[in-house]
Amino acid sequence: MNVAEFHQNIEQIWQKIEEALENQDCDVDCETQGSVFTITFDDRSQIVINKQEPLLELWLASRLGGFHFAYKNNDWVANDGKRFWDSLTEAVATHGETVTF
C-alpha cells in the first residue's frame, strides 16, 4: 500500500464509522481534525482513531487501551491478530452504545 492508498483507505474507514454510528442512532459526535478522528460520547469521554503515515498504521485509543493496526490481507489487524473493527465495536460498547460496523 502506498501513502495515497493509505490515506484513501483511512478516509473510507472514518466515513464508514460515522455512517454506522449515525444510522444506528448512537448518541455521539464525530469530528475529524487532520489525521485524527474523534468519537465523543455524552459524558465527554472519547475514542480517538488516528492515522500514522510514517508507519502506515491505524491507531485506536479508548478506555480499553491503545492499539496499533497494520494493513494485512485486506484487513486492519493488530500484532495479536485482533481486527480493528472488533476492537472498535468493543471500545464503543464500553461507552454504553451497541453498534455493528
Side-chain angles (χ1 to χ4, degrees):
M1 172 183 304
N2 64 38
V3 173
E5 292 169 333
F6 169 76
H7 287 289
Q8 183 178 19
N9 188 300
I10 301 300
E11 296 295 328
Q12 290 171 349
I13 288 172
W14 290 351
Q15 182 177 2
K16 179 178 177 177
I17 293 168
E18 192 162 5
E19 288 174 359
L21 292 168
E22 184 177 304
N23 291 339
Q24 296 176 58
D25 295 324
C26 294
D27 193 14
V28 300
D29 289 316
C30 296
E31 181 180 9
T32 303
Q33 287 188 336
S35 63
V36 179
F37 181 86
T38 306
I39 304 167
T40 303
F41 297 84
D42 269 351
D43 64 359
R44 311 208 34 91
S45 61
Q46 297 179 326
I47 293 174
V48 179
I49 304 163
N50 64 310
K51 46 186 169 180
Q52 293 294 317
E53 180 182 316
L55 302 172
L56 297 180
E57 289 185 348
L58 179 63
W59 290 8
L60 169 68
S62 73
R63 290 177 173 170
L64 298 176
F67 305 94
H68 301 182
F69 300 88
Y71 197 71
K72 299 175 185 172
N73 300 319
N74 295 318
D75 202 1
W76 289 95
V77 182
N79 285 340
D80 64 1
K82 192 158 195 174
R83 295 179 60 243
F84 169 76
W85 295 110
D86 296 334
S87 296
L88 180 58
T89 299
E90 289 176 16
V92 171
T94 66
H95 294 273
E97 296 283 353
T98 302
V99 65
T100 303
F101 295 100

